[in-house]
Every structure is written in C-alpha cells, then in structure tokens.
mmCIF file of all heavy atoms in Angstrom:
data_model
loop_
_atom_site.group_PDB
_atom_site.id
_atom_site.type_symbol
_atom_site.label_atom_id
_atom_site.label_comp_id
_atom_site.label_asym_id
_atom_site.label_seq_id
_atom_site.Cartn_x
_atom_site.Cartn_y
_atom_site.Cartn_z
ATOM 1 N N ASP G 1 -10.442 -60.251 21.760
ATOM 2 C CA ASP G 1 -11.828 -60.701 21.670
ATOM 3 C C ASP G 1 -12.820 -59.543 21.817
ATOM 4 O O ASP G 1 -13.954 -59.628 21.356
ATOM 5 C CB ASP G 1 -12.116 -61.786 22.709
ATOM 6 C CG ASP G 1 -11.760 -61.349 24.129
ATOM 7 O OD1 ASP G 1 -10.976 -60.403 24.267
ATOM 8 O OD2 ASP G 1 -12.259 -61.988 25.076
ATOM 9 N N ASP G 2 -12.422 -58.421 22.384
ATOM 10 C CA ASP G 2 -13.287 -57.238 22.491
ATOM 11 C C ASP G 2 -13.152 -56.313 21.279
ATOM 12 O O ASP G 2 -14.006 -55.458 21.049
ATOM 13 C CB ASP G 2 -12.954 -56.430 23.745
ATOM 14 C CG ASP G 2 -13.340 -57.157 25.019
ATOM 15 O OD1 ASP G 2 -14.206 -58.058 24.930
ATOM 16 O OD2 ASP G 2 -12.787 -56.828 26.084
ATOM 17 N N ALA G 3 -12.107 -56.461 20.496
ATOM 18 C CA ALA G 3 -11.842 -55.559 19.376
ATOM 19 C C ALA G 3 -12.659 -55.904 18.137
ATOM 20 O O ALA G 3 -12.780 -55.080 17.226
ATOM 21 C CB ALA G 3 -10.358 -55.572 19.035
ATOM 22 N N GLY G 4 -13.227 -57.087 18.079
ATOM 23 C CA GLY G 4 -13.962 -57.534 16.890
ATOM 24 C C GLY G 4 -15.021 -56.571 16.401
ATOM 25 O O GLY G 4 -15.048 -56.220 15.212
ATOM 26 N N PRO G 5 -15.918 -56.103 17.241
ATOM 27 C CA PRO G 5 -16.948 -55.167 16.762
ATOM 28 C C PRO G 5 -16.372 -53.859 16.232
ATOM 29 O O PRO G 5 -16.902 -53.290 15.278
ATOM 30 C CB PRO G 5 -17.802 -54.903 18.013
ATOM 31 C CG PRO G 5 -17.558 -56.074 18.902
ATOM 32 C CD PRO G 5 -16.158 -56.519 18.618
ATOM 33 N N TYR G 6 -15.283 -53.396 16.816
ATOM 34 C CA TYR G 6 -14.663 -52.159 16.335
ATOM 35 C C TYR G 6 -14.024 -52.356 14.963
ATOM 36 O O TYR G 6 -14.120 -51.484 14.099
ATOM 37 C CB TYR G 6 -13.617 -51.659 17.341
ATOM 38 C CG TYR G 6 -14.233 -51.272 18.658
ATOM 39 C CD1 TYR G 6 -14.081 -52.087 19.783
ATOM 40 C CD2 TYR G 6 -14.978 -50.106 18.779
ATOM 41 C CE1 TYR G 6 -14.655 -51.739 20.997
ATOM 42 C CE2 TYR G 6 -15.558 -49.746 19.987
ATOM 43 C CZ TYR G 6 -15.392 -50.571 21.083
ATOM 44 O OH TYR G 6 -15.969 -50.228 22.279
ATOM 45 N N VAL G 7 -13.404 -53.498 14.763
ATOM 46 C CA VAL G 7 -12.807 -53.803 13.457
ATOM 47 C C VAL G 7 -13.912 -53.920 12.413
ATOM 48 O O VAL G 7 -13.797 -53.370 11.312
ATOM 49 C CB VAL G 7 -11.959 -55.099 13.528
ATOM 50 C CG1 VAL G 7 -11.500 -55.514 12.147
ATOM 51 C CG2 VAL G 7 -10.769 -54.901 14.453
ATOM 52 N N ALA G 8 -14.982 -54.619 12.740
ATOM 53 C CA ALA G 8 -16.105 -54.750 11.813
ATOM 54 C C ALA G 8 -16.698 -53.378 11.499
ATOM 55 O O ALA G 8 -17.020 -53.075 10.340
ATOM 56 C CB ALA G 8 -17.164 -55.676 12.401
ATOM 57 N N GLY G 9 -16.840 -52.540 12.492
ATOM 58 C CA GLY G 9 -17.362 -51.192 12.283
ATOM 59 C C GLY G 9 -16.459 -50.372 11.379
ATOM 60 O O GLY G 9 -16.932 -49.639 10.505
ATOM 61 N N ALA G 10 -15.150 -50.500 11.590
ATOM 62 C CA ALA G 10 -14.202 -49.772 10.752
ATOM 63 C C ALA G 10 -14.309 -50.230 9.299
ATOM 64 O O ALA G 10 -14.280 -49.413 8.370
ATOM 65 C CB ALA G 10 -12.785 -49.968 11.266
ATOM 66 N N TYR G 11 -14.436 -51.531 9.081
ATOM 67 C CA TYR G 11 -14.601 -52.047 7.718
ATOM 68 C C TYR G 11 -15.905 -51.555 7.106
ATOM 69 O O TYR G 11 -15.953 -51.193 5.919
ATOM 70 C CB TYR G 11 -14.551 -53.581 7.693
ATOM 71 C CG TYR G 11 -13.143 -54.126 7.626
ATOM 72 C CD1 TYR G 11 -12.592 -54.807 8.712
ATOM 73 C CD2 TYR G 11 -12.372 -53.967 6.496
ATOM 74 C CE1 TYR G 11 -11.306 -55.306 8.656
ATOM 75 C CE2 TYR G 11 -11.080 -54.460 6.429
ATOM 76 C CZ TYR G 11 -10.550 -55.138 7.512
ATOM 77 O OH TYR G 11 -9.276 -55.632 7.454
ATOM 78 N N LEU G 12 -16.973 -51.516 7.874
ATOM 79 C CA LEU G 12 -18.253 -51.028 7.354
ATOM 80 C C LEU G 12 -18.166 -49.557 6.955
ATOM 81 O O LEU G 12 -18.680 -49.158 5.902
ATOM 82 C CB LEU G 12 -19.355 -51.238 8.384
ATOM 83 C CG LEU G 12 -19.838 -52.676 8.566
ATOM 84 C CD1 LEU G 12 -20.837 -52.751 9.713
ATOM 85 C CD2 LEU G 12 -20.460 -53.193 7.283
ATOM 86 N N VAL G 13 -17.512 -48.756 7.759
ATOM 87 C CA VAL G 13 -17.331 -47.346 7.422
ATOM 88 C C VAL G 13 -16.496 -47.209 6.155
ATOM 89 O O VAL G 13 -16.817 -46.412 5.260
ATOM 90 C CB VAL G 13 -16.688 -46.577 8.600
ATOM 91 C CG1 VAL G 13 -16.238 -45.183 8.174
ATOM 92 C CG2 VAL G 13 -17.654 -46.504 9.769
ATOM 93 N N PHE G 14 -15.439 -47.991 6.053
ATOM 94 C CA PHE G 14 -14.580 -47.954 4.869
ATOM 95 C C PHE G 14 -15.361 -48.332 3.615
ATOM 96 O O PHE G 14 -15.287 -47.638 2.587
ATOM 97 C CB PHE G 14 -13.389 -48.902 5.069
ATOM 98 C CG PHE G 14 -12.465 -48.968 3.899
ATOM 99 C CD1 PHE G 14 -11.625 -47.915 3.595
ATOM 100 C CD2 PHE G 14 -12.431 -50.097 3.092
ATOM 101 C CE1 PHE G 14 -10.767 -47.970 2.504
ATOM 102 C CE2 PHE G 14 -11.586 -50.168 2.012
ATOM 103 C CZ PHE G 14 -10.758 -49.102 1.717
ATOM 104 N N VAL G 15 -16.137 -49.399 3.674
ATOM 105 C CA VAL G 15 -16.928 -49.836 2.518
ATOM 106 C C VAL G 15 -17.981 -48.786 2.175
ATOM 107 O O VAL G 15 -18.220 -48.493 0.993
ATOM 108 C CB VAL G 15 -17.571 -51.212 2.792
ATOM 109 C CG1 VAL G 15 -18.605 -51.559 1.739
ATOM 110 C CG2 VAL G 15 -16.502 -52.288 2.848
ATOM 111 N N ALA G 16 -18.598 -48.178 3.177
ATOM 112 C CA ALA G 16 -19.591 -47.129 2.926
ATOM 113 C C ALA G 16 -18.953 -45.936 2.222
ATOM 114 O O ALA G 16 -19.529 -45.388 1.273
ATOM 115 C CB ALA G 16 -20.239 -46.697 4.240
ATOM 116 N N LEU G 17 -17.762 -45.540 2.653
ATOM 117 C CA LEU G 17 -17.067 -44.422 2.006
ATOM 118 C C LEU G 17 -16.725 -44.750 0.555
ATOM 119 O O LEU G 17 -16.854 -43.895 -0.329
ATOM 120 C CB LEU G 17 -15.811 -44.050 2.790
ATOM 121 C CG LEU G 17 -16.049 -43.373 4.130
ATOM 122 C CD1 LEU G 17 -14.732 -43.188 4.879
ATOM 123 C CD2 LEU G 17 -16.740 -42.037 3.931
ATOM 124 N N ILE G 18 -16.300 -45.980 0.306
ATOM 125 C CA ILE G 18 -15.986 -46.376 -1.076
ATOM 126 C C ILE G 18 -17.250 -46.357 -1.931
ATOM 127 O O ILE G 18 -17.225 -45.896 -3.072
ATOM 128 C CB ILE G 18 -15.305 -47.753 -1.100
ATOM 129 C CG1 ILE G 18 -13.918 -47.611 -0.514
ATOM 130 C CG2 ILE G 18 -15.288 -48.330 -2.500
ATOM 131 C CD1 ILE G 18 -12.951 -48.680 -0.807
ATOM 132 N N LEU G 19 -18.359 -46.841 -1.402
ATOM 133 C CA LEU G 19 -19.615 -46.820 -2.155
ATOM 134 C C LEU G 19 -20.069 -45.390 -2.448
ATOM 135 O O LEU G 19 -20.537 -45.097 -3.557
ATOM 136 C CB LEU G 19 -20.699 -47.571 -1.397
ATOM 137 C CG LEU G 19 -20.559 -49.092 -1.370
ATOM 138 C CD1 LEU G 19 -21.629 -49.698 -0.472
ATOM 139 C CD2 LEU G 19 -20.646 -49.662 -2.769
ATOM 140 N N ILE G 20 -19.917 -44.505 -1.494
ATOM 141 C CA ILE G 20 -20.268 -43.099 -1.717
ATOM 142 C C ILE G 20 -19.386 -42.502 -2.799
ATOM 143 O O ILE G 20 -19.867 -41.809 -3.706
ATOM 144 C CB ILE G 20 -20.166 -42.304 -0.402
ATOM 145 C CG1 ILE G 20 -21.267 -42.747 0.557
ATOM 146 C CG2 ILE G 20 -20.231 -40.801 -0.651
ATOM 147 C CD1 ILE G 20 -21.111 -42.230 1.971
ATOM 148 N N TYR G 21 -18.092 -42.786 -2.753
ATOM 149 C CA TYR G 21 -17.154 -42.277 -3.753
ATOM 150 C C TYR G 21 -17.513 -42.785 -5.144
ATOM 151 O O TYR G 21 -17.564 -42.010 -6.107
ATOM 152 C CB TYR G 21 -15.732 -42.686 -3.375
ATOM 153 C CG TYR G 21 -14.707 -42.328 -4.417
ATOM 154 C CD1 TYR G 21 -14.233 -41.026 -4.541
ATOM 155 C CD2 TYR G 21 -14.207 -43.294 -5.293
ATOM 156 C CE1 TYR G 21 -13.298 -40.695 -5.493
ATOM 157 C CE2 TYR G 21 -13.270 -42.973 -6.253
ATOM 158 C CZ TYR G 21 -12.823 -41.667 -6.350
ATOM 159 O OH TYR G 21 -11.907 -41.345 -7.306
ATOM 160 N N VAL G 22 -17.789 -44.074 -5.262
ATOM 161 C CA VAL G 22 -18.136 -44.658 -6.562
ATOM 162 C C VAL G 22 -19.438 -44.055 -7.084
ATOM 163 O O VAL G 22 -19.561 -43.769 -8.281
ATOM 164 C CB VAL G 22 -18.227 -46.199 -6.453
ATOM 165 C CG1 VAL G 22 -18.870 -46.813 -7.678
ATOM 166 C CG2 VAL G 22 -16.848 -46.790 -6.223
ATOM 167 N N THR G 23 -20.400 -43.826 -6.211
ATOM 168 C CA THR G 23 -21.660 -43.210 -6.626
ATOM 169 C C THR G 23 -21.435 -41.794 -7.150
ATOM 170 O O THR G 23 -21.994 -41.416 -8.183
ATOM 171 C CB THR G 23 -22.649 -43.177 -5.441
ATOM 172 O OG1 THR G 23 -22.845 -44.512 -4.967
ATOM 173 C CG2 THR G 23 -23.971 -42.567 -5.831
ATOM 174 N N ILE G 24 -20.616 -41.028 -6.459
ATOM 175 C CA ILE G 24 -20.322 -39.665 -6.905
ATOM 176 C C ILE G 24 -19.623 -39.692 -8.264
ATOM 177 O O ILE G 24 -19.963 -38.927 -9.169
ATOM 178 C CB ILE G 24 -19.470 -38.924 -5.853
ATOM 179 C CG1 ILE G 24 -20.316 -38.641 -4.616
ATOM 180 C CG2 ILE G 24 -18.899 -37.625 -6.417
ATOM 181 C CD1 ILE G 24 -19.515 -38.134 -3.425
ATOM 182 N N MET G 25 -18.650 -40.584 -8.430
ATOM 183 C CA MET G 25 -17.934 -40.671 -9.703
ATOM 184 C C MET G 25 -18.855 -41.120 -10.836
ATOM 185 O O MET G 25 -18.766 -40.611 -11.956
ATOM 186 C CB MET G 25 -16.748 -41.642 -9.587
ATOM 187 C CG MET G 25 -15.617 -41.127 -8.731
ATOM 188 S SD MET G 25 -14.906 -39.624 -9.389
ATOM 189 C CE MET G 25 -15.297 -38.477 -8.115
ATOM 190 N N ALA G 26 -19.769 -42.043 -10.562
ATOM 191 C CA ALA G 26 -20.710 -42.504 -11.593
ATOM 192 C C ALA G 26 -21.647 -41.377 -12.002
ATOM 193 O O ALA G 26 -21.966 -41.216 -13.189
ATOM 194 C CB ALA G 26 -21.502 -43.697 -11.075
ATOM 195 N N THR G 27 -22.070 -40.572 -11.041
ATOM 196 C CA THR G 27 -22.937 -39.436 -11.346
ATOM 197 C C THR G 27 -22.206 -38.426 -12.220
ATOM 198 O O THR G 27 -22.758 -37.929 -13.207
ATOM 199 C CB THR G 27 -23.408 -38.767 -10.040
ATOM 200 O OG1 THR G 27 -24.058 -39.749 -9.234
ATOM 201 C CG2 THR G 27 -24.352 -37.613 -10.307
ATOM 202 N N LYS G 28 -20.971 -38.127 -11.864
ATOM 203 C CA LYS G 28 -20.190 -37.185 -12.664
ATOM 204 C C LYS G 28 -19.943 -37.726 -14.070
ATOM 205 O O LYS G 28 -20.021 -36.983 -15.049
ATOM 206 C CB LYS G 28 -18.852 -36.890 -11.980
ATOM 207 C CG LYS G 28 -18.974 -35.990 -10.789
ATOM 208 C CD LYS G 28 -17.611 -35.660 -10.215
ATOM 209 C CE LYS G 28 -17.738 -34.708 -9.058
ATOM 210 N NZ LYS G 28 -16.431 -34.257 -8.573
ATOM 211 N N LEU G 29 -19.653 -39.016 -14.167
ATOM 212 C CA LEU G 29 -19.404 -39.625 -15.473
ATOM 213 C C LEU G 29 -20.642 -39.560 -16.350
ATOM 214 O O LEU G 29 -20.550 -39.230 -17.535
ATOM 215 C CB LEU G 29 -18.944 -41.077 -15.303
ATOM 216 C CG LEU G 29 -18.641 -41.841 -16.589
ATOM 217 C CD1 LEU G 29 -17.505 -41.173 -17.351
ATOM 218 C CD2 LEU G 29 -18.287 -43.272 -16.261
ATOM 219 N N SER G 30 -21.810 -39.838 -15.794
ATOM 220 C CA SER G 30 -23.025 -39.785 -16.600
ATOM 221 C C SER G 30 -23.319 -38.355 -17.047
ATOM 222 O O SER G 30 -23.766 -38.133 -18.176
ATOM 223 C CB SER G 30 -24.210 -40.372 -15.832
ATOM 224 O OG SER G 30 -24.553 -39.561 -14.747
ATOM 225 N N ARG G 31 -23.042 -37.376 -16.201
ATOM 226 C CA ARG G 31 -23.240 -35.980 -16.592
ATOM 227 C C ARG G 31 -22.285 -35.594 -17.719
ATOM 228 O O ARG G 31 -22.686 -34.960 -18.701
ATOM 229 C CB ARG G 31 -23.029 -35.052 -15.394
ATOM 230 C CG ARG G 31 -23.227 -33.572 -15.739
ATOM 231 C CD ARG G 31 -23.007 -32.665 -14.533
ATOM 232 N NE ARG G 31 -21.806 -32.936 -13.794
ATOM 233 C CZ ARG G 31 -20.595 -32.450 -14.098
ATOM 234 N NH1 ARG G 31 -20.441 -31.667 -15.153
ATOM 235 N NH2 ARG G 31 -19.545 -32.722 -13.352
ATOM 236 N N ILE G 32 -21.045 -36.011 -17.611
ATOM 237 C CA ILE G 32 -20.061 -35.706 -18.650
ATOM 238 C C ILE G 32 -20.444 -36.389 -19.957
ATOM 239 O O ILE G 32 -20.327 -35.799 -21.039
ATOM 240 C CB ILE G 32 -18.650 -36.117 -18.190
ATOM 241 C CG1 ILE G 32 -18.185 -35.168 -17.081
ATOM 242 C CG2 ILE G 32 -17.670 -36.104 -19.349
ATOM 243 C CD1 ILE G 32 -16.905 -35.593 -16.397
ATOM 244 N N GLU G 33 -20.914 -37.636 -19.896
ATOM 245 C CA GLU G 33 -21.343 -38.336 -21.107
ATOM 246 C C GLU G 33 -22.512 -37.614 -21.762
ATOM 247 O O GLU G 33 -22.564 -37.465 -22.979
ATOM 248 C CB GLU G 33 -21.729 -39.775 -20.786
ATOM 249 C CG GLU G 33 -20.549 -40.668 -20.503
ATOM 250 C CD GLU G 33 -20.945 -42.075 -20.103
ATOM 251 O OE1 GLU G 33 -22.147 -42.326 -19.855
ATOM 252 O OE2 GLU G 33 -20.051 -42.925 -20.044
ATOM 253 N N ARG G 34 -23.477 -37.149 -20.955
ATOM 254 C CA ARG G 34 -24.619 -36.408 -21.490
ATOM 255 C C ARG G 34 -24.157 -35.136 -22.191
ATOM 256 O O ARG G 34 -24.612 -34.806 -23.296
ATOM 257 C CB ARG G 34 -25.561 -36.051 -20.341
ATOM 258 C CG ARG G 34 -26.919 -36.643 -20.445
ATOM 259 C CD ARG G 34 -27.913 -36.150 -19.407
ATOM 260 N NE ARG G 34 -27.423 -35.409 -18.275
ATOM 261 C CZ ARG G 34 -27.156 -35.909 -17.066
ATOM 262 N NH1 ARG G 34 -27.311 -37.188 -16.838
ATOM 263 N NH2 ARG G 34 -26.739 -35.146 -16.089
ATOM 264 N N GLU G 35 -23.242 -34.410 -21.553
ATOM 265 C CA GLU G 35 -22.734 -33.177 -22.150
ATOM 266 C C GLU G 35 -21.961 -33.461 -23.424
ATOM 267 O O GLU G 35 -22.041 -32.695 -24.389
ATOM 268 C CB GLU G 35 -21.863 -32.434 -21.145
ATOM 269 C CG GLU G 35 -22.641 -31.839 -19.991
ATOM 270 C CD GLU G 35 -21.763 -31.186 -18.941
ATOM 271 O OE1 GLU G 35 -20.523 -31.250 -19.075
ATOM 272 O OE2 GLU G 35 -22.317 -30.628 -17.986
ATOM 273 N N LEU G 36 -21.225 -34.560 -23.450
ATOM 274 C CA LEU G 36 -20.466 -34.925 -24.643
ATOM 275 C C LEU G 36 -21.397 -35.257 -25.801
ATOM 276 O O LEU G 36 -21.149 -34.840 -26.947
ATOM 277 C CB LEU G 36 -19.549 -36.109 -24.334
ATOM 278 C CG LEU G 36 -18.553 -36.507 -25.411
ATOM 279 C CD1 LEU G 36 -17.650 -35.337 -25.756
ATOM 280 C CD2 LEU G 36 -17.731 -37.679 -24.929
ATOM 281 N N VAL G 37 -22.475 -35.965 -25.535
ATOM 282 C CA VAL G 37 -23.459 -36.275 -26.579
ATOM 283 C C VAL G 37 -24.076 -34.985 -27.101
ATOM 284 O O VAL G 37 -24.230 -34.799 -28.316
ATOM 285 C CB VAL G 37 -24.544 -37.238 -26.037
ATOM 286 C CG1 VAL G 37 -25.731 -37.308 -26.970
ATOM 287 C CG2 VAL G 37 -23.957 -38.608 -25.809
ATOM 288 N N GLU G 38 -24.407 -34.078 -26.193
ATOM 289 C CA GLU G 38 -24.993 -32.802 -26.597
ATOM 290 C C GLU G 38 -24.019 -32.008 -27.471
ATOM 291 O O GLU G 38 -24.411 -31.447 -28.499
ATOM 292 C CB GLU G 38 -25.372 -31.997 -25.359
ATOM 293 C CG GLU G 38 -26.067 -30.692 -25.655
ATOM 294 C CD GLU G 38 -26.419 -29.942 -24.381
ATOM 295 O OE1 GLU G 38 -26.682 -30.589 -23.355
ATOM 296 O OE2 GLU G 38 -26.438 -28.692 -24.429
ATOM 297 N N LEU G 39 -22.759 -31.981 -27.075
ATOM 298 C CA LEU G 39 -21.760 -31.259 -27.872
ATOM 299 C C LEU G 39 -21.572 -31.881 -29.249
ATOM 300 O O LEU G 39 -21.471 -31.174 -30.255
ATOM 301 C CB LEU G 39 -20.423 -31.225 -27.130
ATOM 302 C CG LEU G 39 -20.330 -30.242 -25.974
ATOM 303 C CD1 LEU G 39 -19.017 -30.433 -25.225
ATOM 304 C CD2 LEU G 39 -20.449 -28.821 -26.467
ATOM 305 N N SER G 40 -21.545 -33.206 -29.312
ATOM 306 C CA SER G 40 -21.371 -33.853 -30.616
ATOM 307 C C SER G 40 -22.572 -33.595 -31.518
ATOM 308 O O SER G 40 -22.416 -33.408 -32.730
ATOM 309 C CB SER G 40 -21.123 -35.352 -30.455
ATOM 310 O OG SER G 40 -22.252 -35.993 -29.936
ATOM 311 N N GLU G 41 -23.780 -33.540 -30.944
ATOM 312 C CA GLU G 41 -24.961 -33.205 -31.743
ATOM 313 C C GLU G 41 -24.881 -31.778 -32.256
ATOM 314 O O GLU G 41 -25.229 -31.503 -33.415
ATOM 315 C CB GLU G 41 -26.230 -33.402 -30.921
ATOM 316 C CG GLU G 41 -26.563 -34.851 -30.651
ATOM 317 C CD GLU G 41 -27.719 -35.025 -29.688
ATOM 318 O OE1 GLU G 41 -28.223 -34.014 -29.137
ATOM 319 O OE2 GLU G 41 -28.117 -36.191 -29.483
ATOM 320 N N LEU G 42 -24.409 -30.857 -31.423
ATOM 321 C CA LEU G 42 -24.243 -29.472 -31.870
ATOM 322 C C LEU G 42 -23.236 -29.375 -33.010
ATOM 323 O O LEU G 42 -23.457 -28.656 -33.989
ATOM 324 C CB LEU G 42 -23.796 -28.593 -30.700
ATOM 325 C CG LEU G 42 -24.854 -28.239 -29.664
ATOM 326 C CD1 LEU G 42 -24.204 -27.542 -28.470
ATOM 327 C CD2 LEU G 42 -25.932 -27.376 -30.262
ATOM 328 N N VAL G 43 -22.151 -30.104 -32.908
ATOM 329 C CA VAL G 43 -21.132 -30.091 -33.962
ATOM 330 C C VAL G 43 -21.694 -30.672 -35.251
ATOM 331 O O VAL G 43 -21.463 -30.135 -36.344
ATOM 332 C CB VAL G 43 -19.871 -30.865 -33.500
ATOM 333 C CG1 VAL G 43 -18.938 -31.122 -34.667
ATOM 334 C CG2 VAL G 43 -19.161 -30.101 -32.408
ATOM 335 N N GLU G 44 -22.451 -31.768 -35.141
ATOM 336 C CA GLU G 44 -23.039 -32.368 -36.338
ATOM 337 C C GLU G 44 -24.014 -31.407 -37.014
ATOM 338 O O GLU G 44 -24.015 -31.268 -38.241
ATOM 339 C CB GLU G 44 -23.759 -33.663 -35.979
ATOM 340 C CG GLU G 44 -22.831 -34.814 -35.672
ATOM 341 C CD GLU G 44 -23.574 -36.057 -35.245
ATOM 342 O OE1 GLU G 44 -24.817 -36.124 -35.423
ATOM 343 O OE2 GLU G 44 -22.917 -36.975 -34.726
#
C-alpha cells in the first residue's frame, strides 16, 4: 500500500522518456525528409 506512488512515478518517468525519444526521432525524420526533398530537386 506504500509502494503505489513509487510505481506511478516510475511509470510516469518511463512514459516521459518514451515521449522524449519519439520527439527526437520525429525531429530527425523531418530533417531527413527535408534534405531528401532538397536532393531530389537538385537532381531534377
């Protein structure tokens, strides 16, 4: 009955880390997509 807040805190930290990871990956993906569009325009 005392462990509940610690378990909830651990889950919150885990979810926060996953959200940070997804944000970083989305940023990298958008940068790569931008560079790919630029390269395809140069080739055209």
Side-chain angles (χ1 to χ4, degrees):
D1 54 340
D2 291 339
Y6 296 106
V7 172
Y11 275 111
L12 286 175
V13 169
F14 178 72
V15 169
L17 289 174
I18 290 198
L19 287 175
I20 291 169
Y21 174 78
V22 168
T23 303
I24 290 170
M25 290 298 116
T27 303
K28 285 184 178 186
L29 180 61
S30 68
R31 180 180 48 85
I32 290 171
E33 286 176 350
R34 242 188 347 263
E35 290 176 357
L36 188 58
V37 166
E38 184 180 329
L39 284 173
S40 66
E41 289 173 355
L42 285 172
V43 168
E44 286 177 13

